Amino acid sequence: MAVQRTPGTNAAAQVFPGGGDVGALYREKDWSAHPLGPPEQWPQSLKTAVSMVLGSQFPLIVLWGPQLYQFYNDGYRLLMGTKHPGGLGQGNKECWPEVWHINETIYPRIFNGETVNFEERMYPLAPHGYPEEFYLTLCYSPVRDETGEVGGVFVSVFDVTREVQARNERDRALAEARAERERLYEVFMQAPASIAVLEGPEHRFTVSNPLYQQLTGNRDLLGRPVTEALPEIADQGFRELLDNVRSTGKPYIAHDALVRLDRKGTGEVEDVYLDFVYQPLKDASGSVYGIMAHAVETTEQVLARRSIEALAAERIAMLGHIADAVITFDTAGHITFLNEMARTLYPGLRLGEPFSAQAFRQERVDGTPLSTGELPPARAGRGERVLNEVWNICTPDGHKLRVQGSAIPVYTETRSLLGVVLTLRDITQQHRLEQQLELERNRLTQVFMQAPAAIMVARGPTHVIQVSNPGYDQVTGNRPLVGKTIPDAFPDLAGQGLFELYDQVFATKEPFIGNEVPVRVARFGRVDDAYFNFVYQPLLDEKGESFGVMTHAVEVTEMVRARHQAEERNRELMRLTQALEQSNRELDQFAYVASHDLKAPLRGIANLAEWLKEEVGTNLTAEAQEFITRLHGRVHRMEALIDGILTYSRAGKVNEPGPVDTGALIKEVVELLAPPPEVELTVQPGGPTVSAERVKLQQVFLNLIGNAIKFTRLHRPDPRIQVTWRDAGEQYEFTVADNGAGIAPEFHERIWGIFQTLESRDKVEGTGIGLSVVRKIVETRGGRAWVDSVQGEGATFHFTWPKA
């Protein structure tokens, strides 16, 4: 970077002699625009401190004055990254804002005259624009000015990040090595083979797994030499074999070796056949310090081979039905047997031909082809036991299968090779599932970023934001978050108690769950009163210590506001209901008073008419007597009208219901009405029991049956009335049918209105209120009332009544 030379360079050269590349920048920088002014005006203490910094090869920096202006050398410049050269002379807080929450607690101590040291302290520096973990060893020392007061801070900085990381990696590797040794020991203990370790020239037992203990009769082996622990093998040549392996460093492998062991502890030995390996164990210098004995007892196999010809048919039958594919080969590598599963894996496989001659490409799991000699049957034909290897089969039709198999050589009693047995199974689906599992693991990050909730993770006791998903960014207004502390990122949340909750969760390690918590948040240019359901979940390391807090939040502002509105509407509905109840009570009182006040003068008129008839009845003309009779009729009609109005006003009033037997109720209604002998009235038996106010339901039947009797008699000499019912699901439907004159369709709704009659009162007396009372009672109880009728064919009145 080219720096323009400015006046005062000679003075700067005296203040800043030497110093490498940074020293040259000191001399070329125009300090006249800096708050400290040109170098010749600086205090001598500052000049001296800067000269010491530039003259050192170690990373040093001087921070001068309350603003902590930075003066550093070439060694410190390596730590600055892209902050150099802009950081030269810049205030420390402006240069390193990402660690100011750490530094601001240190510098006051230095200005009080204290020297502060830190070893391998982690600083989340961002010298390249993003936070990185740096481990630093630092010494903060006060620099006194000419007055004797502390004028600045002298800092030596050693970046030990690589050393710390290397040590951590070493510790991790050592831990893994210890774990590996422990796992290896567990493998030894659980291995499906007999394993023992013998150390030293006397071959003392130091490890013996359960199967080896079982093989040797569960004797006390550990710590004892082999010939002492197993004296019966002393003359069987095994001690010599162990000595040879120890001296040459080469393993010894034996198949179906005969060993005579006293397995029952009776002194009598029995023949045991083993496949075993004596494997030398070497230390870091290559010296043999012990031998691992790995043995698999083959006694049963050896004995079984003696009768193998007699059992050949049985073997073929058994192998043909097992789940694994089985293929056998002769010593020349030709196929001698294959079961159905083998034919499935290798369609078209032919007996009598070499395995390598079949039309199948076989390859390693990485896709590279397997040569003829590398195929498991070929290796087993050379005496190798191939166990649980994995490879691919490519069929002629283009399919690729992944299989796992073992190929084992089969010998006669005289150790002659009989052939090879290959067993394998299709693990294609298992492999795909494993790949899918790995894919799902990789998708966890995508799930975090796409989760339908706001998620954020903050680390450390100061709650530095490490990561947030788009949902969290959206609900907080898409403000910059990563690298900031929560109070710095959300100044608008101060005073709402949320910062204290973070401290509480981090300290107590207990989660905090908030439901519909009101939060006042600034976002998108406005301040919102929002509501959130959230969890502050502590994040714990393997030692159970807190290292951060995860926030999982869902905004429920609209839901809360909607509920508040619903609650307000409910309160308003309650007020209206109470007002309506008060109005109904007042209306009942008015109806009662009005009926009483209206009936009083009617009774007076009726009494007066009766007096006139009794006193002067014989002197009245026929016309006058007719007038008095009509007057009586009008008075009685008016009283009935008033009673009907009072009944109608009370019809909608609901009292506590109870169980009502409708069959018994209809019987009572018929007895009250006492129909004349010419009326044929039938009732369907077995009427249901319903929940009802008995008086109200009785009133419905009285009006309907009474109307049917009254109007049918008016038009027919043989009136017939039928009362029936049926189950209509959640309700019962009742009908009252007659054979009267019927009702024209245009009057089907009119008749339910109050004061509506179709017959002249000269023909039939009535108020026109009965049917309106029926409909009002039925509908206020959740039912429905209607009529089906054709003029001249009678009428059927229906109503429904809820079962409960």
Side-chain angles (χ1 to χ4, degrees), residues 358-363 367-370 391-396 400:
Q358 308 292 333
F360 294 92
R361 170 185 165 90
Q362 303 194 68
E363 60 186 27
T368 58
L370 284 167
W391 69 94
N392 294 333
I393 300 173
C394 301
T395 62
K400 180 180 287 190

Side-chain angles (χ1 to χ4, degrees), residues 719-754:
R720 292 193 306 274
I721 298 165
Q722 188 176 19
V723 181
T724 60
W725 62 272
R726 73 180 186 90
D727 191 330
E730 295 183 356
Q731 297 183 326
Y732 289 110
E733 180 183 330
F734 298 91
T735 60
V736 178
D738 62 55
N739 64 340
I743 303 170
E746 60 267 25
F747 299 114
H748 283 186
E749 281 302 314
R750 174 181 167 184
I751 61 174
W752 300 99
I754 192 169

Side-chain angles (χ1 to χ4, degrees), residues 644-663:
I645 292 174
L646 185 60
T647 300
Y648 182 77
S649 69
R650 293 174 176 174
K653 187 174 182 180
V654 180
N655 295 316
E656 187 68 26
V660 176
D661 183 346
T662 58

Side-chain angles (χ1 to χ4, degrees), residues 785-800:
W786 72 99
V787 64
D788 289 330
S789 179
V790 177
Q791 193 165 10
E793 299 182 9
T796 301
F797 286 83
H798 307 261
F799 75 90
T800 60

